[in-house]
Amino acid sequence: MRHDGRVPADSAIRTTSLPTDRFLNRELSWLEFNARVLELAEDDSLPLLERVKFLAIFASNLDEFYMVRIAGLKRRHSTGLTVRSPDGLTMREQLELVTARTQDLVARHADVFLTDVAPRLEEEGIRIVRWAQLDDVSRARLREYFRDQVFPVLTPLAVDPAHPFPYISGLSLNLAVSVRDADSGQAHFARVKVPNNVPRFVPVGPHDKTATFLPLEDLIAAHLPQLFPGLEVISHHLFRVTRNADLEVEDDRDEDLLQALERELARRRFGPAVRLEVTETMDPQILEVLLSEMEMRPGDVLQVPGLLDLASLMALYDLDRPELKDDPFVPATHPRLSEGETPKSVFATLREGDVLLHHPYHSFATSVQRFIEQAAADPHVLAIKQTLYRTSGDSPILNALIDAAEAGKQVVVLVEIKARFDEEANITWARSLERAGCHVVYGLVGLKTHCKTALVVRREHGSLRRYCHIGTGNYNPKTARLYEDLGILTADPRVGADLTDLFNTLTGYSRQTNYRTLMVAPHGIRSGLVEKIRREARHAAEGRAAGIRIKLNSLVDERIIDALYEASAAGVPVDLLIRGICALRPGVPGLSERIRVRSIVGRFLEHSRLMNFCNDGEAEWWLGSADLMHRNLDRRVEVLLRVAAEAAHRELDDIFDAAMAPDVRCWELGGDGSWTPRGNADYQAERLRRIGESAE
């Protein structure tokens, strides 16, 4: 290949059949993503509490993986379906491979904490101790705490012919207790739930630079005789259950979606158990009881060395020990949105040209949030329309929308109440918005609305002008400080016309499928991207400049992967920056020699979706909400925006070039599915530095 990105004109698009083993397994690929998170916890060059944070993130990620992905595999396997995954594995084979890999990672996760992180924490004065390690003074203090704060909320539940086996809630910690009646000598089984509304790590004493904690389950275990007076406590064992939490809401046109979702949320509490976590010291007889009563199999058991539920370690990360964390950063206001310390009118700025935002480096509060707040307060604004997928509990944007409605503006909000694990919060916000006079809709039947869009209509000099925001991340000021995302603020009338058409589709009966500046799923993104990938292949075959660069959370869709394979065979260089799941095999001779895949996992969650096509020197950049997965392309309303401004093109080039630089710390994917760490330069830290300098 020549240095100008051109290839010899005799290169041709391959038309022969592609190999059957060309896809990687998506579940195993996700586990390898979580393994990369674990590698950050293992990295002793990171501040200690940042390593604790990554331990907690690993555990939390794995919980959700079991609640959704593994639950789905188990459900399909139980129905007897013989459908194989695209990589050729049966449901049973996938479950066996996932279980084995998970057990390896869980053991490694526990080992990192027990043998490395916990001793280092102790050196810094942060200790997690067991009851046997406490002195008499500490025990006396904790006995009072137990009596006043814990004992009243505990409910020991017996299991016998008069007391059926109790319901075990998902992700709760529980003590399986064996007790003996002194008179009859008969042993009994009981369960004590560790309350989740009491801190998991109980402070042993006052702390500033030092902090000692006792796990709550240890405190309860030490006082079990008080829960079973007159009985001998023989043993106790900690366990934790994960349940299927994937909602299946039937979109029935004759039923209120809100009511259907609320009913399904109530059912989710009682989803089938899919994972049983136990300590290594679990009594085999007790384990047998648990498996039998919860209708689980030995293959559902994960043995965990040490503490269960290390997601709770996030409580340690919250300690006020700044010397053990990354240096704090203050997001910079985009230089075009302020004059010194004085905020500028977002509307006046956008009349001068588009603004490309890169969060969290650019402040969400002084850009997107300010855009909605200024619109709500501006007497010339007539209407605000917005899609909301996830937001925070105390959202300034939602408050601004409520203020706008109460001021008499037309406010239309599409609240996606099926956003996984945010369903209850979104239902609450939907009702608050309705009470304030907002027009609230819940999207299209059979689809989730995942796009991130906002439209403001303003009267100016006797005519109407539309201002827009389209982004890759949620309208959530909290996650906007933690997630890397991109967004465009624009007054481009073509984008305004497209968003008007889109909102008419979302709120009415319009069936618009063609747009000027957008690709919209479920009708337009897959076909649009495949066409652009094939255009690059044609250009390469003709000896013209060609190239593809894509940044995503996940790449799974087989049609798009096959198109990328064909482009590679035609001579197109393909660079993929995939944070999480990647089912494509790069660098395979005869299949994907020209495809390179890397992953960046770091301080900020790389969350933006970005596509670049060389197009024989007339580059196209697209950004938006869609990952390249079946759910995004077939079962969601997603939006990709073609970025028009040349200044934004240069900035996006710089972002991608920096992320793909040879010395950047990353992991590169091999054709066998293995990820190899490379480089040591911190891309995110460099981006922070450059944005900070540009804002000064």
Side-chain angles (χ1 to χ4, degrees):
M1 192 179 351
R2 302 205 295 251
H3 292 297
D4 60 1
R6 299 175 183 271
V7 296
D10 58 355
S11 294
I13 299 175
R14 181 183 52 191
T15 57
T16 56
S17 61
L18 295 167
T20 57
D21 63 348
R22 64 192 183 274
F23 302 116
L24 296 170
N25 183 268
R26 66 160 290 168
E27 316 304 347
L28 294 174
S29 183
W30 184 91
L31 283 173
E32 295 313 311
F33 155 67
N34 214 27
R36 297 194 290 281
V37 174
L38 183 55
E39 285 188 46
L40 293 177
E42 294 169 332
D43 185 353
D44 60 10
S45 71
L46 295 181
L48 184 56
L49 286 180
E50 299 299 330
R51 298 178 64 191
V52 169
K53 177 186 72 177
F54 285 117
L55 284 171
I57 291 172
F58 172 93
S60 179
N61 285 349
L62 198 60
D63 286 345
E64 185 170 335
F65 179 66
Y66 266 83
M67 286 189 288
V68 179
R69 294 302 309 173
I70 300 305
L73 281 179
K74 288 179 180 288
R75 183 179 65 250
R76 292 192 291 275
H77 178 57
S78 68
T79 64
L81 289 175
T82 57
V83 178
R84 293 177 180 266
S85 58
D87 59 308
L89 296 177
T90 65
M91 300 294 175
R92 177 185 292 277
E93 289 168 339
Q94 289 186 83
L95 286 170
E96 289 174 349
L97 288 170
V98 165
T99 299
R101 181 60 174 144
T102 301
Q103 186 67 70
D104 290 342
L105 290 174
V106 166
R108 183 171 141 197
H109 180 236
D111 183 67
V112 173
F113 177 67
L114 292 172
T115 66
D116 186 6
V117 172
R120 291 173 186 258
L121 286 170
E122 189 157 350
E123 291 172 5
E124 296 292 342
I126 302 171
R127 303 171 64 217
I128 297 177
V129 298
R130 312 315 290 251
W131 182 261
Q133 297 173 263
L134 298 177
D135 58 32
D136 291 342
V137 174
S138 297
R139 289 188 180 189
R141 184 185 303 115
L142 289 174
R143 285 192 184 99
E144 292 182 12
Y145 177 84
F146 176 82
R147 181 194 65 208
D148 297 337
Q149 303 295 329
V150 181
F151 181 77
V153 300
L154 297 178
T155 304
L157 295 173
V159 177
D160 57 32
H163 300 85
F165 191 85
Y167 165 75
I168 309 295
S169 54
L171 300 186
S172 64
L173 284 171
N174 300 270
L175 288 168
V177 185
S178 179
V179 296
R180 180 183 291 117
D181 187 308
D183 296 331
S184 67
Q186 185 175 358
H188 300 280
F189 175 86
R191 171 259 193 167
V192 178
K193 180 179 178 178
V194 178
N196 57 10
N197 52 1
V198 177
R200 168 73 186 285
F201 296 116
V202 180
V204 172
H207 59 271
D208 40 34
K209 287 296 181 183
T210 63
T212 302
F213 299 96
L214 178 75
L216 179 58
E217 61 268 25
D218 267 32
L219 181 62
I220 295 171
H223 294 82
L224 284 174
Q226 295 184 33
L227 295 172
F228 302 97
L231 298 174
E232 176 191 358
V233 176
I234 303 171
S235 65
H236 63 271
H237 302 277
L238 195 67
F239 69 96
R240 185 171 182 256
V241 173
T242 307
R243 293 186 176 276
N244 183 338
D246 197 18
L247 289 176
E248 295 183 21
V249 180
E250 296 294 333
D251 284 319
D252 187 336
R253 292 179 184 271
D254 297 325
E255 182 178 21
D256 185 285
L257 179 59
L258 200 63
Q259 293 178 355
L261 182 62
E262 288 178 318
R263 184 183 65 249
E264 201 61 30
L265 281 171
R267 289 180 184 171
R268 182 162 73 181
R269 294 182 54 242
F270 301 97
V274 295
R275 178 181 61 168
L276 175 62
E277 294 172 275
V278 301
T279 61
E280 290 183 316
T281 58
M282 168 65 75
D283 184 319
Q285 291 183 324
I286 297 293
L287 179 58
E288 187 176 339
V289 170
L290 294 174
L291 290 175
S292 173
E293 294 289 351
M294 289 186 289
E295 300 179 343
M296 303 180 75
R297 300 178 179 180
D300 299 325
V301 177
L302 275 179
Q303 287 195 330
V304 180
L307 292 171
L308 297 188
D309 185 20
L310 290 187
S312 58
L313 289 177
M314 197 59 79
L316 299 187
Y317 181 77
D318 291 337
L319 290 172
D320 185 19
R321 296 292 299 275
E323 75 279 11
L324 301 180
K325 301 180 185 180
D326 286 329
D327 292 337
F329 89 101
V330 177
T333 295
H334 194 288
R336 288 192 52 214
L337 295 175
S338 67
E339 293 178 352
E341 299 296 321
T342 304
K344 291 176 62 177
S345 163
V346 177
F347 305 118
T349 299
L350 297 187
R351 288 194 291 271
E352 299 168 359
D354 297 355
V355 174
L356 174 69
L357 301 166
H358 197 190
H359 308 299
Y361 315 106
H362 289 134
S363 169
F364 180 87
T366 60
S367 57
V368 180
Q369 180 180 318
R370 182 175 290 167
F371 171 54
I372 302 300
E373 289 174 337
Q374 287 186 356
D378 189 330
H380 300 293
V381 168
L382 305 181
I384 304 173
K385 302 182 181 184
Q386 190 164 4
T387 58
L388 292 176
Y389 190 74
R390 301 187 195 275
T391 189
S392 60
D394 182 21
S395 173
I397 284 182
L398 287 168
N399 290 330
L401 293 173
I402 289 171
D403 290 343
E406 291 176 343
K409 294 176 171 59
Q410 293 293 311
V411 179
V412 177
V413 188
L414 191 144
V415 180
E416 182 45 79
I417 57 174
K418 291 174 288 184
R420 183 178 289 140
F421 303 125
D422 278 336
E423 299 96 344
E424 293 184 36
N426 285 5
I427 288 172
T428 300
W429 273 112
R431 287 180 166 149
S432 297
L433 290 164
E434 286 176 332
R435 286 194 296 270
C438 300
H439 302 291
V440 179
V441 293
Y442 305 127
L444 302 177
V445 173
L447 299 173
K448 280 187 180 180
T449 303
H450 188 249
C451 55
K452 328 298 183 183
T453 58
L455 172 66
V456 171
V457 182
R458 190 172 188 266
R459 188 184 302 280
E460 296 176 2
H461 308 296
S463 61
L464 299 182
R465 184 189 288 265
R466 290 173 283 204
Y467 298 86
C468 311
H469 173 263
I470 295 177
T472 68
N474 296 307
Y475 292 105
N476 186 328
K478 292 183 179 178
T479 56
R481 295 178 66 92
L482 303 172
Y483 291 8
E484 179 271 345
D485 273 303
L486 291 161
I488 291 280
L489 286 167
T490 181
D492 186 330
R494 298 170 302 166
V495 179
D498 276 348
L499 281 191
T500 298
D501 290 342
L502 175 64
F503 275 103
N504 288 343
T505 298
L506 294 175
T507 62
Y509 289 114
S510 169
R511 290 296 177 262
Q512 181 85 13
T513 57
N514 296 316
Y515 297 87
R516 306 156 189 82
T517 63
L518 306 180
M519 286 189 276
V520 179
H523 302 292
I525 290 182
R526 180 188 285 109
S527 59
L529 290 178
V530 167
E531 189 280 325
K532 294 178 190 308
I533 293 168
R534 288 177 174 166
R535 182 188 62 193
E536 296 301 310
R538 291 194 299 272
H539 287 170
E542 296 165 1
R544 299 157 71 183
I548 297 169
R549 295 188 290 178
I550 297 177
K551 181 180 185 296
L552 299 165
N553 296 290
S554 298
L555 172 60
V556 173
D557 188 77
E558 292 84 12
R559 285 175 56 190
I560 288 177
I561 290 174
D562 282 348
L564 291 171
Y565 285 147
E566 292 171 3
S568 172
V572 181
V574 180
D575 280 339
L576 303 176
L577 192 58
I578 313 293
R579 187 197 79 221
I581 305 168
C582 182
L584 178 147
R585 294 182 184 270
V588 177
L591 178 69
S592 55
E593 293 101 323
R594 294 176 179 86
I595 302 179
R596 176 174 57 157
V597 179
R598 67 167 42 175
S599 173
I600 292 176
V601 182
R603 176 177 184 175
F604 306 124
L605 184 81
E606 294 288 324
H607 190 251
S608 62
R609 294 90 167 183
L610 184 64
M611 295 88 173
N612 172 228
F613 303 95
C614 179
N615 192 27
D616 194 26
E618 298 293 327
E620 287 186 18
W621 281 99
W622 296 78
L623 65 79
S625 57
D627 284 310
L628 302 186
M629 306 174 74
H630 301 160
R631 70 183 188 191
N632 299 85
L633 303 181
D634 297 323
R635 302 190 298 276
R636 291 184 175 186
V637 179
E638 304 274 15
V639 165
L640 296 180
L641 166 71
R642 182 170 180 175
V643 181
E646 288 297 324
H649 286 193
R650 291 190 294 272
E651 185 67 15
L652 293 172
D653 268 319
D654 183 63
I655 290 171
F656 215 106
D657 289 344
M660 298 302 290
D663 61 341
V664 162
R665 173 174 180 157
C666 66
W667 287 260
E668 293 193 348
L669 178 61
D672 61 353
S674 63
W675 292 86
T676 303
R678 307 286 189 201
N680 54 23
D682 190 331
Y683 156 74
Q684 295 180 341
E686 177 62 15
R687 188 75 185 148
L688 266 175
R689 185 189 66 78
R690 294 190 61 177
I691 292 286
E693 288 179 352
S694 68
E696 291 177 356

